[in-house]
Amino acid sequence: FFSAATKQMDALVDEELAKKDSVVDLLENKVVLIKPKGGETKVTGFENITDAANIALAGEDVPVGQYAREIFKNLGIEDDVNKMEINEGKNVTEVLASVSEGSNEVGIVYATDAASVADKVDIIAEAPEGSLKTPVLYPVGLTEDKEASDSEAAAADAFLAYLQTDEALKVFEEYGFTPYKAEEKAEDAEENAEGFFKGGANCAGILKSSSPLTSKEKETLKSGWNSAFSGNTGTPNGVAVLDADLDFQAVTVNPSDA
């Protein structure tokens, strides 16, 4: 399931219709300020957007319209923007049309929308860093399907993995998306590392299988390995007995470096 927002993916996970451990925040869309192609404006970014004679915005019940108003509020210009001549569209498509046709001096849409009519609009700027509390994410994950065959489950796993490759991400970038890279909080990383090495463990390594594994087999292997050898809860330096089609590639790291 590839969702255009985290809300829908979270709903599936909560209802156990999607596998939580498989969900990946794959793409990020940007909220951008646009103008007609080759159009003249004094506006150079969101900060001086009120220099425009008018603006096209999606309604408050539309996600991009909500994002736009959040940006205005966080930049402290919400009241000034509300005094402008605003052409409110029912959706982002109407906003895009108003600007591309020259009916409005500037407008706010997603980067992917602007990319779809690159011959008709110019991007002035992306929303300033920190002006949105949460990024516009597109998560992807595996759905629960007990009736799926092993080959179907393996194909789904393979496709999910492919979507995360540089080859696939390059295609998404051509359409205006940005690969999402989560910034792990330093305190969380430090806490995890401390628990790992405090338990006496080292960075174990990578398990390789000579044949494709189903989602169920992967979960069973992962769960069993973690419970037996995790630095936090398992028995460090234990002995693992591998099946003939499994191979272990050791990865080491100095605890002090980690």
Side-chain angles (χ1 to χ4, degrees):
F1 177 62
F2 207 155
S3 178
T6 56
K7 179 180 179 181
Q8 289 81 356
M9 182 64 79
D10 290 343
L12 287 187
V13 170
D14 291 342
E15 295 176 17
E16 298 184 349
L17 296 175
K19 300 177 182 179
K20 183 177 181 179
D21 292 342
S22 73
V23 177
V24 177
D25 289 328
L26 186 66
L27 303 173
E28 180 179 1
N29 213 339
K30 300 293 186 180
V31 177
V32 298
L33 181 62
I34 61 172
K35 65 175 184 176
K37 191 73 174 181
E40 295 185 4
T41 179
K42 295 180 180 179
V43 178
T44 57
F46 281 79
E47 293 85 352
N48 71 328
I49 200 171
T50 54
D51 286 344
N54 50 60
I55 183 173
L57 290 177
E60 294 185 40
D61 57 337
V62 180
V64 71
Q66 295 167 1
Y67 287 129
R69 288 163 178 79
E70 180 182 342
I71 293 169
F72 299 152
K73 183 176 182 180
N74 291 334
L75 292 177
I77 60 174
E78 184 177 24
D79 291 339
D80 292 332
V81 172
N82 287 334
K83 296 176 183 178
M84 295 178 64
E85 178 185 328
I86 299 176
N87 177 15
E88 188 170 290
K90 295 180 180 179
N91 49 50
V92 70
T93 303
E94 288 192 359
V95 173
L96 195 63
S98 295
V99 177
S100 63
E101 294 170 358
S103 299
N104 291 106
E105 186 175 331
V106 296
I108 295 177
V109 297
Y110 292 123
T112 48
D113 297 309
S116 69
V117 288
D119 60 328
K120 295 182 179 180
V121 301
D122 289 324
I123 294 178
I124 299 174
E126 293 183 356
E129 184 176 355
S131 59
L132 279 175
K133 293 182 179 179
T134 56
V136 184
L137 299 180
Y138 291 67
V140 61
L142 299 174
T143 57
E144 293 284 0
D145 187 355
K146 297 180 181 179
E147 297 180 359
S149 65
D150 288 348
S151 60
E152 290 172 334
D157 285 337
F159 184 61
L160 178 60
Y162 172 72
L163 289 175
Q164 300 173 63
T165 64
D166 291 339
E167 181 182 2
L169 292 174
K170 184 178 180 181
V171 176
F172 286 119
E173 288 183 272
E174 291 175 356
Y175 286 88
F177 289 101
T178 302
Y180 178 66
K181 297 180 180 180
E183 295 183 3
E184 183 177 28
K185 294 183 179 179
E187 58 267 27
D188 290 341
E190 184 176 348
E191 181 179 346
N192 290 337
E194 180 182 2
F196 183 81
F197 290 105
K198 192 174 183 180
N202 290 315
C203 282
I206 301 171
L207 276 178
K208 295 182 177 180
S209 174
S210 60
S211 59
L213 299 177
T214 65
S215 297
K216 184 176 181 180
E217 290 172 332
K218 286 182 180 179
E219 285 300 318
T220 300
L221 182 60
K222 179 180 177 181
S223 176
W225 189 273
N226 284 339
S227 64
F229 303 108
S230 167
N232 290 324
T233 60
T235 303
N237 301 317
V239 177
V241 179
L242 302 178
D243 290 333
D245 61 344
L246 291 176
D247 181 44
F248 180 78
Q249 179 180 330
V251 177
T252 60
V253 64
N254 187 316
S256 62
D257 292 338

